[in-house]
Structures are given as structure tokens and as C-alpha cells.
Amino acid sequence: MLGKLIDVPRRTPAGVSALLVLAAVIMLTAMTNSTMQPLPASAPAREFSAGRALTHLEKIAAAPRPLGSAAGDRARDYLVGRLRAAGLHVEVQRAVGVNPAAGLASFGLVENIVATLPGTNPTGTVLVAAHYDSAAMGPGASDDGAAVAAMVETARAVLAGGRLRNDLVLLMSDGEEDGVLGAEAFAREHPLGRKGGVLLNWEARGVSGPSLMFETSRDNARLVELFARTVPHPRGDSTMAELYRLLPNNTDFTPLTRAGFTGMNFAYLEGSSYYHSADDSLAHLDRGSLQHHGTNMLTLVRALGAADLPTLTSDDDVTYFRIFGVMVTYPGWLVRPLAMLSLLAVAGLALLARRRELLTFPRLLAGAVTAVVPLLGSVVLAQALWQVLVAIRPAYDAMGGLLHRPEAFEAAIAVLSGLALLAWYLPLRRRLGPAAPAAGALVWPAGLGLLCAQVAPGAAFMFTLPALLCALGGLVALMVRGSAWGQVAAITVGSVMAAALLPYLARNVFDGMGLALGGAGALVLAIFGLTVLPVVELLLPEVRRKAEAPGGRPEGASRKVGVVAVALVAAGAPVGAGLLLDGVDAGHPRRTHLAYVMDADTRAAHWVSADADPDAWTRRYVSGHDVGGLPPGYARGTLWAGTAPAVEADGPRVSVLSRRGDTVEFHVTAGRGARSVTLRVDRPITGASASVAGVGAASVPVTGTRVATWPAEVRFRGIPARGVRVTLRVPGAGRIRLTAISETDGLSRVPGFVPMPPGLVAGTREDGGLVAVTRTYPL
């Protein structure tokens, strides 16, 4: 039994036609999931205008505005003024925010902007949230200035159309980049944060692309239905929400939903190589992304502002996705039946193929079991490619896989996935026949759909629907074996769902995770390859078992070297093109890390860099890995270092206020001009609290320890000149050593410092670009 699922006389034209249809589907999916055209400042008053929003963004995103910075203060004052001028009641909430991590407690003195517009007959509160601070290394035009500017323009457009039924609250939070500190303080301390309501949170991970709804609260059915029904250009799917729930990342959405809000989280994520860098700027911002953000924001504010909010509660999630420009939703109770139906359809295909004597059950089993080979092979090859790229260009590692021009490398991963698939399928089709591996391969997407139905129901459709439609297409093809083009049409139509969903998912995975985790995108592409094997079969020669070439050698043996050579060229060509195209220039810079550290007691100073392979500019300052001269507890991980001139600085001061058992209370100041202070402790801690006079306090339990440095760390961003009180619980500690590090933005004050040349930007490590002055205290 060596039959094919479809057998047509003119195989090559049929196969080419089918592939062209699937390629068109992939292109159409990409086109229908694009962003919007920006509207000018002259747009009608009731509409959202990117042109008008841009005037606000130009005011706040000219320079980095990290928590506690002068630029942050200017942005706060501007935004408060614009919101008050629009007619909203505005207050500034000053509070201490806190966020824990392994061995780490992060605090910050935040200044949240809270603007309110009372409703005419409220049934609840609509909370719109974005953060106005930026990462220290960039102006944050997209992250998250675009959303904040969109909020100002949305408030204007709402008031141009009259008051809403429900209360509207705009939260422009502070300190998100340092651990969602502002949102945490709002949820914990502000009356509106404890009141609950429906939340719309806005973020960015890149500088372009459509505004995607990438996260929702639990039991999202009615919220998603409202989103799909009212938003003119809805983007996003429930797979993104399920994946994000599994990741350790968080945004302001996390503490706010924990506090009782339900809602939706939005971001655009293309151009992610500029994320958290100096090039997250107005020059690189896609105005269409700003328009899409704002149009969605205004539409949802109006829809939620007019709704009876209690009726939007539900007790289940829905599956939602977009195909051919249409947003599709179906209820959570349907996920498992569809997954089971998908498996039944695959089983039905196998039974009918067995009845037609195209395969045997042992061969089907062999095809299904061995299909794991191309799946794992694709992942391994993609991760190996990343290691090769990092070996050739170590600077890629500092970018976390988020490259400026990754398309050629992504094409190489697609080629590698295809080669892994063919390396498995070609020999197997000779042994088992084409039908057995093609039918057996569908067990994997169907099985993954069933697995997702149990653990991540919103993602099940990505595998269930392609497997179901491919199996049904195969069944129809087997039933119309008298019509060649009928068979081709059935197989092609059956593969359309796979072509519409899986390549788009792979694209989002590449955009979100980067090439450092390229194996995830490769896995999705390999699954897509498994679903279209009957189409691939049309382009392959007829199977001839045990045929021999002249001379008595098995047919094809003499071609192995040629096949391997072609494979190497097919995979190597896009890699070479990528290395050639993805060069470093002012518009596509390389990242580097450089910091200055001085021991205030000895006045010994050093430059430090965490780069694996520092560039020429960074090597002006660092020369080797000798970190013996660095202050105790400062080094974290492998560093380059070099001696540096001393600067005039007060440095931090720590005084012990009390010590009772395991609890030690300090008063900490950072010194003149410092924006933040970090405390590193040579023993683990189990809890920390910080208080600011006249503002309040925050406490948090701490578990685990820090990696590659002293086991415990406390940070306070935006520290006031008069200092803070910090309390630590240090179990079982007798003598303690504590190193205090005051941090000031910018390196220009260091004698002899030469600014970065074009083609370089600061890396994302949190101590980059800082003057750190330390003092060590034995307690």
C-alpha cells in the first residue's frame, strides 16, 4: 500500500496552483492585519486624530523621562495642564509603589496623574490607563508616550461629543518601567483603584504595527464580544492572551486586574529592535500605529461609557481571532468539542484511506510517531542558527534577538523548517507511501489542539481548526477520486485555514520573542508544514521503491551530495543576505552597555561594561575582566572593567535607626543630584519596607536570592533629597554588609568622557549610562 491521498495526472500544475492559492491566503492575511492610515490635525472634532495627538507627544517625548527625573516632572506638568484645560478634574497621587522579584524589592516615589470625568447616570467606572514614564535609556515615544498622547486626544474627542453615561477615569501612571510601581500604588491606596470597573490598558513593545488586543482579564466573553462588535479595526486573538498569561512579563494591567478590574490590554509590537532604546523616538514612530491605538481607545471609551457595565460580566472566556478581515468569536464551551471533532476527523480520514488501501494502520502509526522528528528538528535548527549568528556577531546577544532587519533570518528559519520536514518526509514516503505520513502528521495539530483545550483554551483554535479543515479536505478528496481538479480543490480549500492562521502566528511569535527564541516560531512553521503535506506531494516525483540507477546503485544515491549542497545553499543564502543587509548604521544602531562606578570612601573609580564583546567605543573605557577593584557587592555577572578618573559626588549615606532581632531599620539618602539608590546586602532577606515622610509606606515579602551578585537587593527610584526609611528582615543574621549605590543619569560629568558615536545606543541593562557612587557599611 503506497497510495496517495490525491492522485491526479497533471501533478505539477496542480501543485503549483495549490501553492499559489495558499501563498495568496498568507499575503491576504498579512494585508488585512495591517494598521491604519493616520488622520491629520484637521480631522472632524469627534474623531481621533494622530496629527493632534502628535502635538502632545512632541511635548513629552523629546527626552528620557524615568521615574524621578526632571523630564518626567515636565511631562507630568504638561499632561496635568492639558487634561485640566480639556475640562477634567485632575489630581496627582503621590505614593510609594513596590514590586518584588527573586531576592529583590523595588520601591519608588511615584506621581500618578488621575483625571476624572463624572458620568451622567453611571453604572460603573471605565478606567483608561497608560504610563507616562519611560525607560532611562530612551524617550519612550511609543513606550508609552503614544498611548498617553492618545489619552489626551481621546478625552478631547469624548467631550466634543458630550458627556458619557459612565464615570471615566484616566490613569497616567508613573514608575511602570521600574516594576509597575505607579499602578500598584494606585490599586493599593487610591479610592478609585479599590473601586473596580472596566480597564483599558495601552502599551507598546515596538514602534510600529497594528494595535493588538494581546491580553484580557479572565471571563472575557462579553468584553470580547463588545470589542469585536464596536471597534472598526479589531486586531489580536485569544492565542496572544493565553501565551501572555503563561509568560513572566507584566504591565500596569497586572496589578489593576488583581485589584478587581476586568478589561483588555493593547499594544503594537513591530519594530521591537527599538524597544527600550534611544531610538524609541518620534522619528521611528509609525503614525498609523498611533492612529490605530487612538481609534480603538476612543471607540471603546464611547462604547463602554454608554454600556450598562454590570451586564458585561460573564463566567467564561471566548475564543476570538481574525480571518480575511472578519473577527470570529465562539464560546469557551465549544473549544473541547471542536478539539475532539478534529481528532475524529483525522481518524475518519485514516479509516477511509485504509479502506481505499492507501495505507495500513502500522504505517499510519509510524508516520504519526516519527512526525515529532521535523518538529524537534526545526526547533533545534532555529536555535542553532541563533548561536551561529551570535558567534558571528556577538552584539546580537545584547539585543535579545530583537534585530533591526530580521526578515532574512526569519526566512532562513522557514527554509530550515522546510528542510527538516523534507528530510523526514522524503525517505518515509518511499517506505510507507505518501498517504501514511500525511494522514499521521495531522495527529500533531489535532493533538496539540486537544492539549490546549485543557491548559490554554483560547489557543486551541490555532491547531484544532487547521487539523479539522485539512482532515475534512482529505476526506472530500478521497470521496471525489474521479475528479482530479475536485481532489486538488478539496485539499487546497482544506489547507486554507492552516495558511491563514499558522504563518501569522509564527510572525507574531518572531515579533514578540525575537530570534533568540526562534525555535518557537520554527515549531509553528513546522506544524504548518505537516498540514500541507498532500499539497507538497503534488510537486514531488512518483514514488519508485527499490528502483536502481545504471551501475546497480540505488536510484538517487549519486544525488545525495547534490541534494545536501542545494539544502546548504537554500538555508545559507538568506543567512548571508541577512548578515549583509543587517549592518550597523545611525538608523539601525548596535547596543552597548557602559556605566561608571566610584567608591566614595576610597575614591577609586572604574568604567564597567556587561557586553560580551565590547565595540571600539566601549573599549576606550574597559580593557579586561579584572573586577577586583570594584566596590563590594557591585559586580553582577561577568563584567569588563577599566580605571576611570574620580568625580565630585556626595554619594549615598546609610544610618542605622534601630535593630530588633532580624529587623534592621535604616535612613538612606542618595546625595545631591542622584535620582535613585540601590542597596545590596550580603545575606538573603525575607521582607522589606520603605517610607517617605508625608507620603506613606509600602511593604513586601521577598523570596529567593539574586543571581551572580550578593543575594539581596533593594531599589528606591525617585528618592527625595531628604531620603527614605528602609526596613529589612534579615533572618539569622549577625554581622551584615551593605553596599549603598547612588545613581545619577548620564556620563557626561565624568572627565574625559566622549559621547557615543552614531551607530551606538545604550543597552537595556538597568545600570547603563549611570554614574554610580557607592559606600559599604558593615553592620
Side-chain angles (χ1 to χ4, degrees):
M1 295 182 180
L2 290 174
K4 298 183 286 291
L5 290 181
I6 61 173
D7 194 5
V8 297
R10 302 181 64 190
R11 297 162 54 82
T12 300
V16 170
S17 300
L19 285 180
L20 288 175
V21 169
L22 299 185
V25 168
I26 294 171
M27 294 178 63
L28 180 61
T29 301
M31 292 170 60
T32 56
N33 283 293
S34 61
T35 188
M36 297 178 62
Q37 290 297 315
L39 293 181
S42 58
R46 287 175 53 87
E47 294 187 33
F48 182 93
S49 160
R52 288 190 289 257
L54 198 61
T55 62
H56 306 303
L57 189 56
E58 289 169 346
K59 298 291 186 181
I60 65 174
R65 50 189 189 282
L67 171 59
S69 65
D73 293 343
R74 291 192 295 270
R76 176 203 62 213
D77 293 343
Y78 175 82
L79 293 167
V80 167
R82 296 307 304 173
L83 291 171
R84 283 177 176 159
L88 282 75
H89 175 267
V90 185
E91 65 170 305
V92 177
Q93 178 203 13
R94 298 185 79 234
V96 176
V98 62
N99 183 58
L104 170 66
S106 295
F107 298 92
L109 179 58
V110 298
E111 295 185 312
N112 294 326
I113 302 169
V114 184
T116 55
L117 181 65
T120 57
N121 185 25
T123 64
T125 299
V126 179
L127 175 64
V128 183
H131 64 92
Y132 73 90
D133 67 308
S134 77
M137 61 287 297
S142 284
D143 182 22
D144 198 19
V148 171
M151 289 170 70
V152 178
E153 168 65 2
T154 292
R156 182 210 58 76
V158 166
L159 288 168
R163 298 276 287 275
L164 302 173
R165 173 188 184 185
N166 293 314
D167 294 336
L168 176 65
V169 177
L170 304 182
L171 170 63
M172 298 177 179
S173 67
D174 195 9
E176 191 273 349
E177 298 292 1
D178 292 298
V180 297
L181 302 180
E184 186 277 335
F186 177 79
R188 174 168 44 85
E189 291 193 2
H190 201 284
L192 291 173
R194 297 192 295 268
K195 185 178 179 180
V198 179
L199 165 67
L200 301 172
N201 191 67
W202 305 85
E203 266 289 355
R205 181 167 167 80
V207 297
S208 62
S211 181
L212 304 169
M213 185 172 76
F214 71 95
E215 185 182 15
T216 70
S217 54
R218 298 284 182 181
D219 300 327
N220 62 22
R222 290 191 173 87
L223 284 176
V224 172
E225 289 166 3
L226 180 141
F227 167 73
R229 183 177 69 251
T230 61
V231 171
H233 303 279
R235 303 288 190 272
D237 59 68
S238 50
T239 298
M240 303 179 74
E242 292 287 7
L243 288 174
Y244 200 80
R245 289 172 181 173
L246 298 174
L247 295 174
N249 313 61
N250 61 13
T251 65
D252 284 345
F253 192 80
T254 302
L256 294 172
T257 51
R258 285 176 180 167
F261 287 88
T262 60
M264 297 171 277
N265 203 0
F266 298 81
Y268 50 88
L269 50 79
E270 294 179 15
S272 53
S273 63
Y274 298 124
Y275 176 66
H276 280 185
S277 81
D279 284 330
D280 181 4
S281 61
L282 288 166
H284 291 100
L285 170 67
D286 184 339
R287 274 55 174 172
S289 298
L290 174 58
Q291 181 69 46
H292 201 180
H293 246 13
T295 299
N296 284 0
M297 185 185 296
L298 177 59
T299 302
L300 287 170
V301 165
R302 283 180 173 150
L304 291 169
D308 185 358
L309 294 182
T311 66
L312 296 179
T313 59
S314 59
D315 56 4
D316 68 325
D317 285 343
V318 295
T319 292
Y320 60 96
F321 60 95
R322 183 178 167 88
I323 184 168
F324 304 140
V326 177
M327 184 63 75
V328 177
T329 66
Y330 59 82
W333 62 262
L334 195 55
V335 171
R336 290 184 183 179
L338 278 175
M340 292 299 300
L341 182 61
S342 174
L343 277 175
L344 288 174
V346 173
L349 175 64
L351 287 171
L352 184 56
R354 172 65 181 86
R355 184 175 180 182
R356 297 286 172 85
E357 297 185 346
L358 303 177
L359 54 80
T360 65
F361 289 138
R363 289 177 176 177
L364 175 72
L365 180 61
V369 170
T370 59
V372 72
V373 172
L375 299 180
L376 294 179
S378 296
V379 174
V380 170
L381 289 172
Q383 295 304 136
L385 173 61
W386 174 245
Q387 295 303 317
V388 170
L389 293 176
V390 169
I392 296 172
R393 291 189 178 168
Y396 279 171
D397 198 36
M399 302 182 73
L402 303 175
L403 308 187
H404 291 304
R405 287 163 286 203
E407 293 81 7
F409 300 128
E410 292 167 0
I413 290 176
V415 171
L416 289 172
S417 295
L419 291 175
L421 187 74
L422 291 175
W424 161 77
Y425 180 66
L426 292 179
L428 207 64
R429 70 193 280 268
R430 289 180 176 275
R431 279 183 169 274
L432 308 180
L442 291 179
V443 170
W444 284 92
L448 286 171
L450 187 60
L451 177 63
C452 286
Q454 305 299 319
V455 300
F461 78 95
M462 276 289 181
F463 308 109
T464 292
L465 297 184
L468 174 60
L469 271 294
C470 285
L472 292 177
L475 283 168
V476 172
L478 290 179
M479 294 175 182
V480 295
R481 289 185 72 83
S483 170
W485 285 103
Q487 294 180 64
V488 174
I491 287 292
T492 305
V493 172
S495 300
V496 162
M497 185 66 75
L501 295 181
L502 293 173
Y504 180 67
L505 173 61
R507 177 68 187 181
N508 282 340
V509 169
F510 284 135
D511 283 338
M513 297 184 177
L515 293 181
L517 295 174
L523 178 63
V524 176
L525 291 174
I527 293 171
F528 173 59
L530 292 179
T531 65
V532 296
L533 283 177
V535 175
V536 173
E537 175 63 31
L538 290 172
L539 299 173
L540 298 176
E542 292 285 355
V543 177
R544 295 185 180 88
R545 296 188 68 192
K546 297 182 181 179
E548 293 187 348
R553 292 178 299 170
E555 184 181 39
S558 61
R559 301 178 185 175
K560 288 182 179 180
V561 174
V563 169
V564 172
V566 170
L568 290 174
V569 170
V575 173
L579 292 170
L580 182 65
L581 295 172
D582 193 38
V584 173
D585 54 47
H588 305 88
R590 172 180 175 174
R591 294 186 181 184
T592 189
H593 169 261
L594 184 68
Y596 172 93
V597 56
M598 183 183 78
D599 188 322
D601 295 320
T602 66
R603 295 191 57 79
H606 293 81
W607 297 106
V608 295
S609 175
D611 290 350
D613 181 26
D615 66 282
W617 177 83
T618 311
R619 286 182 185 270
R620 294 170 59 107
Y621 305 101
V622 298
S623 55
H625 293 291
D626 182 5
V627 296
L630 296 180
Y634 180 84
R636 178 166 62 87
T638 302
L639 296 175
W640 289 76
T643 58
V647 298
E648 292 299 322
D650 297 336
R653 298 286 181 178
V654 176
S655 57
V656 178
L657 301 178
S658 67
R659 181 166 185 175
R660 296 180 299 276
D662 294 344
T663 303
V664 187
E665 185 178 17
F666 313 94
H667 181 260
V668 182
T669 59
R672 185 175 62 255
R675 183 176 61 85
S676 60
V677 68
T678 296
L679 307 177
R680 289 187 179 155
V681 187
D682 69 346
R683 292 177 179 272
I685 63 175
T686 59
S689 65
S691 63
V692 173
V695 176
S699 303
V700 69
V702 180
T703 59
T705 58
R706 300 289 282 160
V707 176
T709 185
W710 281 5
E713 185 172 327
V714 177
R715 301 173 186 167
F716 198 103
R717 305 299 193 223
I719 186 170
R722 61 182 179 272
V724 299
R725 288 194 175 204
V726 176
T727 302
L728 302 180
R729 292 196 302 274
V730 192
R735 186 177 179 86
I736 305 168
R737 275 201 306 169
L738 178 149
T739 291
I741 309 166
S742 69
E743 298 158 337
T744 306
D745 296 311
L747 300 173
S748 59
R749 60 185 289 204
V750 182
F753 175 73
V754 177
M756 288 183 187
L760 278 182
V761 293
T764 57
R765 182 165 156 141
E766 70 276 358
D767 61 346
L770 295 179
V771 169
V773 181
T774 77
R775 279 194 169 90
T776 299
Y777 296 85
L779 308 177

